[in-house]
Amino acid sequence: MDGRLVPGAGGAFETINPATEEVLGTAADASADDMDRAIAAARRAFDETGWATDHAFRARCLRQLREGLRRRADELRELTIKEVGAPRFLTFGAQLDAPVDDLAWFADLVEDYGWERDLGRAEPMGMPSHRRVVREAVGVVGAITPWNFPHQINLAKLGPALAAGNTVVLKPAPDTPWCAAVVGEVIAGETDIPPGVVNVVTSSDHALGARLTQDPRVDLVSFTGSTATGRNVMASAAGTLKRVFLELGGKSAFVVLDDADLRAACSYAAFAGITHAGQGCAITTRILVPRERHDEAVEITAGALAKLGAGDPQDDRTICGPVISARQRERIEGYLELAVKDGGAFACGGGRPEGRDRGFWIEPTLITGLTNDSRAAREEIFGPVLVILPHDGDDDAVRIANDSPYGLSGAVHGGDVERARGVAGRLRTGTVSVNGGVWYGADVPFGGYKQSGIGREMGVAGFEEYLETKSIAEGV
């Protein structure tokens, strides 16, 4: 905080390995006073330094941060596997390496972006004027992040916010404080980022982030998490009319058309749906298959899930590791009970895997026999739980896919690419994969329709969330 590594006024709290329940160590437990000091430091750094206006300096600092994190990649990889329960293979992608490398894209964008646009001369109301439009930083950004992909989400906020010239107070989830604290350590010790520009506030108190939404010194809040919490963030920020960017939940559909390779599509849906134990907002957890091939699709999907299983995140072959906590496991088990009450059945899974007495484990699960209006089919479970639903052709598949309060992501698999592309174009979601296409990337905007959020993260659109627009006219 403010360029220094300091203990939390609240002491320290434990961080737990979700695969073993082992106590990994402790993190600084910040208090409300600590948060107040972090906000004050960010405000001061924005108002009293040249950080916001020195584009070349910011680009250099972002590259320093990238290199500093890359030098510590081995340490960060092991930390992420242990603290997050992330499968090792994912740390070579979205759980670590990809978001670190993405910082270079934002550094390049700082240098290439059109910060000023000349509108030329005009004579509004007969008064000769030369007009221009400039883009500049919003100010102090409060970033509130979840535990499921901590490096990706922390850096997806820090990268564009810093590139745009803002200062940041980052409040990470209590479940994964170390992942954020190491980034703060690298910033303080291995970059020229000035004191106060980045302040990482770890705390066991989930509610501490609410102070960012209420404090008038904070100009923008960027929140990633559940839709329910996002509503509270938005309501809390209304008191100061600050800008709010929300990346929220999803219940995304994986649409299999009747001309698709059913085995390939359902096997891929199984893999995608339980990666990182299904703990991703954009993961496709509703599988929509042609009604006439429903039973065959169930057999293929269930077989793939059973083969993948749940395994040690340290193992290179593991796709589905543990869920993050006992509380999250209990929440998932509650949805499994609801599914049975609503008439559903488990084609595979439905409980805790045998032989794993320590750690927070749920078997990869496929639920059949539900309709799209059941709670397990409509609400975000955030676990390795898939629901398979029949459809009666393209129009019906689109109707079911869009019959959701969410609109974050989706997928379409079909033999005729033009037809699959047409179905994808009718889905009311922020991102869509067609036949296995990967939309993730620093240059690709990510965000949702409907109750999946407001605004975009990543890409130029995500960068511009952190900018203000100023129009200037000079008399001539």
Side-chain angles (χ1 to χ4, degrees):
M1 181 168 60
D2 204 10
R4 297 177 296 115
L5 306 178
V6 298
F13 67 102
E14 294 178 341
T15 182
I16 307 294
N17 183 331
T20 65
E21 299 183 56
E22 168 195 8
V23 176
L24 298 173
T26 61
D29 200 358
S31 67
D33 287 342
D34 290 325
M35 178 62 82
D36 181 73
R37 285 191 289 272
I39 295 171
R43 186 78 259 169
R44 186 168 56 250
F46 184 80
D47 292 340
E48 300 178 8
T49 75
W51 173 257
T53 56
D54 193 337
H55 305 326
F57 177 58
R58 296 201 306 277
R60 188 174 86 239
C61 287
L62 284 170
R63 293 189 179 105
Q64 289 174 336
L65 176 56
R66 174 177 179 259
E67 293 310 308
L69 292 171
R70 290 181 71 179
R71 283 191 292 271
R72 298 181 66 170
D74 291 342
E75 170 195 351
L76 283 168
R77 199 174 315 283
E78 298 308 316
L79 183 154
T80 306
I81 294 167
K82 290 177 180 177
E83 187 175 52
V84 185
R88 180 174 292 276
F89 91 95
L90 263 186
T91 66
F92 294 95
Q95 279 286 13
L96 179 62
D97 288 358
V100 168
D101 284 339
D102 287 347
L103 291 171
W105 189 85
F106 288 106
D108 292 343
L109 182 60
V110 174
E111 295 172 331
D112 298 337
Y113 187 71
W115 294 94
E116 182 172 321
R117 184 161 58 98
D118 191 338
L119 298 182
R121 178 173 169 154
E123 296 188 8
M125 295 173 287
M127 293 180 283
S129 304
H130 193 144
R131 297 89 34 77
R132 56 193 172 95
V133 175
V134 298
R135 306 302 303 273
E136 57 189 35
V138 170
V140 175
V141 170
I144 307 170
T145 59
W147 44 260
N148 57 322
F149 281 79
H151 298 302
Q152 195 281 318
I153 299 171
N154 291 342
L155 295 177
K157 297 188 188 302
L158 283 173
L162 296 177
N166 300 283
T167 59
V168 181
V169 179
L170 171 63
K171 169 60 175 68
D175 303 273
T176 52
W178 280 6
C179 287
V182 171
V183 174
E185 187 177 77
V186 171
I187 287 171
E190 301 184 44
T191 77
D192 295 324
I193 295 175
V197 168
V198 178
N199 307 272
V200 180
V201 182
T202 62
S203 174
S204 62
D205 183 0
H206 286 268
L208 193 61
R211 299 183 72 87
L212 293 168
T213 69
Q214 298 161 356
D215 197 302
R217 296 171 294 178
V218 176
D219 300 292
L220 179 152
V221 169
S222 179
F223 170 81
T224 297
S226 72
T227 295
T229 305
R231 291 191 190 99
N232 294 334
V233 168
M234 193 171 185
S236 182
T240 53
L241 289 178
K242 60 171 54 66
R243 288 169 60 177
V244 176
F245 161 66
L246 304 172
E247 196 274 283
L248 306 176
K251 193 71 177 181
S252 302
F254 190 109
V255 178
V256 181
L257 303 180
D258 60 17
D259 65 342
D261 180 330
L262 191 69
R263 180 164 297 278
C266 289
S267 298
Y268 186 78
F271 169 85
I274 65 163
T275 296
H276 189 32
Q279 297 173 117
C281 53
I283 287 176
T284 44
T285 53
R286 290 183 295 152
I287 307 175
L288 278 52
V289 299
R291 187 178 300 277
E292 64 273 13
R293 302 191 71 183
H294 172 267
D295 292 349
E296 184 184 358
V298 168
E299 182 181 359
I300 293 168
T301 309
L305 290 173
K307 185 177 181 180
L308 290 169
D312 183 353
Q314 292 283 0
D315 190 327
D316 290 335
R317 298 165 295 179
T318 292
I319 304 301
C320 176
V323 297
I324 191 67
S325 65
R327 181 178 64 178
Q328 181 64 13
R329 180 178 60 190
E330 290 168 6
R331 181 177 184 275
I332 295 165
E333 289 174 333
Y335 275 103
L336 297 179
E337 292 174 6
L338 274 174
V340 173
K341 289 179 181 177
D342 286 342
F346 303 129
C348 68
R352 303 181 186 184
E354 293 183 6
R356 295 201 175 274
D357 300 325
R358 301 285 294 174
F360 313 121
W361 299 90
I362 292 286
E363 295 175 294
T365 299
L366 180 65
I367 305 174
T368 65
L370 295 179
T371 59
N372 196 52
D373 59 0
S374 65
R375 287 185 62 186
R378 295 193 72 76
E379 298 179 14
E380 186 175 47
I381 297 174
F382 230 61
V385 179
L386 306 179
V387 176
I388 194 162
L389 303 166
H391 69 76
D392 296 309
D394 295 7
D395 290 346
D396 192 46
V398 170
R399 179 191 64 79
I400 296 169
N402 288 340
D403 179 18
S404 170
Y406 300 111
L408 188 56
S409 192
V412 180
H413 276 240
D416 182 332
V417 176
E418 286 300 321
R419 177 184 171 194
R421 188 180 295 145
V423 170
R426 295 164 64 191
L427 299 183
R428 296 283 295 162
T429 66
T431 57
V432 188
S433 166
V434 176
N435 289 344
V438 178
W439 44 258
Y440 175 85
D443 58 335
V444 179
F446 174 69
Y449 291 19
K450 298 185 281 187
Q451 293 184 35
S452 285
I454 297 172
R456 291 295 180 269
E457 203 151 62
M458 309 294 282
V460 174
F463 169 73
E464 290 181 336
E465 295 284 354
Y466 296 96
L467 294 176
E468 289 282 16
T469 300
K470 178 182 287 182
S471 300
I472 300 172
E474 302 167 359
V476 293

